[in-house]
Amino acid sequence: MSPICLGIPGRIVEVVDGPVLRMGTVDFDGVRRPVCLAYAPEADVGDYVIVHVGFAISRVDEAEAAKTLAVLRAIPDALESELGPEAAR
């Protein structure tokens, strides 16, 4: 079976306006990753975003993010396959 590519919700914990791209650190249920914020320019620290392949593609409210994370936790290896082995709990 081929790997699944999902948009994963996470909370922005840091924003850095770089010389070329706006970047941030996003917390995905305890796992932090660098994320490009160029496609979600309105997103800021504390906001939840949907991230696909390292790019924030949209903002989402906290309740929706929590629901989506609950569904992803129920799918075997979903978070691990998208975020890497340290995402497994």
Side-chain angles (χ1 to χ4, degrees):
M1 177 157 56
S2 63
I4 300 171
C5 287
L6 302 170
I8 307 290
R11 186 175 57 85
I12 299 172
V13 296
E14 180 183 25
V15 172
V16 177
D17 288 311
V20 177
L21 292 174
R22 187 166 186 256
M23 298 293 293
T25 301
V26 175
D27 185 291
F28 300 94
D29 203 25
V31 177
R32 292 183 176 196
R33 294 283 189 267
V35 170
C36 178
L37 301 173
Y39 296 122
E42 74 287 354
D44 208 352
V45 172
D47 289 340
Y48 284 81
V49 290
I50 299 296
V51 177
H52 180 67
V53 294
F55 291 86
I57 56 174
S58 66
R59 280 182 30 204
V60 65
D61 67 48
E62 183 176 1
E64 190 61 35
K67 285 188 229 175
T68 302
L69 280 170
V71 169
L72 291 173
R73 284 187 209 102
I75 300 170
D77 301 323
L79 284 176
E80 182 177 332
S81 68
E82 289 299 309
L83 300 176
E86 64 269 18
R89 292 184 175 237

